[in-house]
Amino acid sequence: MTMGDDLQKVLSKDTDGLLTYEYIANHMGHCDDEMGELADNIIKVDHKGQITVSAALYLHSTDSEKYAPYVAKLIQASLEKDREHSYIADLLPGIWGEDYKEHVAEYNASSDLFRRIYKRVYAEGI
């Protein structure tokens, strides 16, 4: 069975994004050519945003520069999916660092994604 066959099998059976996430983790470094399709599948099938956020954090921690386009796409999708803000708060320290609160003005000015997440998580202020 080829990587393409494996990938199609995973994508067709995934109902919440977890199978796709596991596929990425188990094939890291060998599935880079399919990363766009993998990220798209997570976004498509993860209705609550939990796996979308987890995948963004995983890719960022693995190689933030290499996977930056996919991380940004996953973060964008998580903003739309996580309406209860149950998972997006994890993106703040996970992407911008544990000291993100010390750099709020800087990150707000330089990152639309940070600004949008921060505004939702801290709607009432810190």
Side-chain angles (χ1 to χ4, degrees):
M1 187 175 297
T2 68
M3 178 87 95
D5 292 339
D6 277 349
L7 178 60
Q8 290 308 314
K9 189 179 204 179
V10 167
L11 297 180
S12 69
K13 291 182 178 179
D14 199 352
T15 59
D16 62 3
L18 186 57
L19 290 175
T20 306
Y21 180 91
E22 289 174 346
Y23 183 89
I24 292 169
N26 292 331
H27 296 88
M28 185 50 72
H30 302 286
C31 63
D32 290 349
D33 291 342
E34 294 95 4
M35 197 60 71
E37 188 176 358
L38 293 164
D40 287 346
N41 195 65
I42 289 172
I43 291 167
K44 179 176 126 185
V45 299
D46 176 21
H47 300 292
K48 294 183 179 184
Q50 180 179 12
I51 305 300
T52 306
V53 166
S54 294
L57 291 169
Y58 179 71
L59 291 175
H60 178 77
S61 69
T62 301
D63 190 331
S64 61
E65 289 184 32
K66 181 178 184 179
Y67 298 117
Y70 309 112
V71 170
K73 187 175 193 175
L74 290 161
I75 292 172
Q76 177 66 38
S78 70
L79 285 164
E80 297 166 15
K81 293 175 175 294
D82 185 11
R83 301 199 187 285
E84 302 297 319
H85 311 143
S86 302
Y87 312 108
I88 61 172
D90 294 339
L91 292 167
L92 294 169
I95 302 293
W96 288 276
E98 292 293 331
D99 65 343
Y100 72 90
K101 290 179 185 175
E102 298 170 23
H103 303 279
V104 171
E106 173 190 341
Y107 294 151
N108 272 334
S110 65
S111 174
D112 182 56
L113 290 174
F114 177 87
R115 183 187 55 75
R116 291 177 62 204
I117 294 167
Y118 191 84
K119 185 177 176 182
R120 288 183 190 178
V121 172
Y122 296 108
E124 304 297 321
I126 294 182

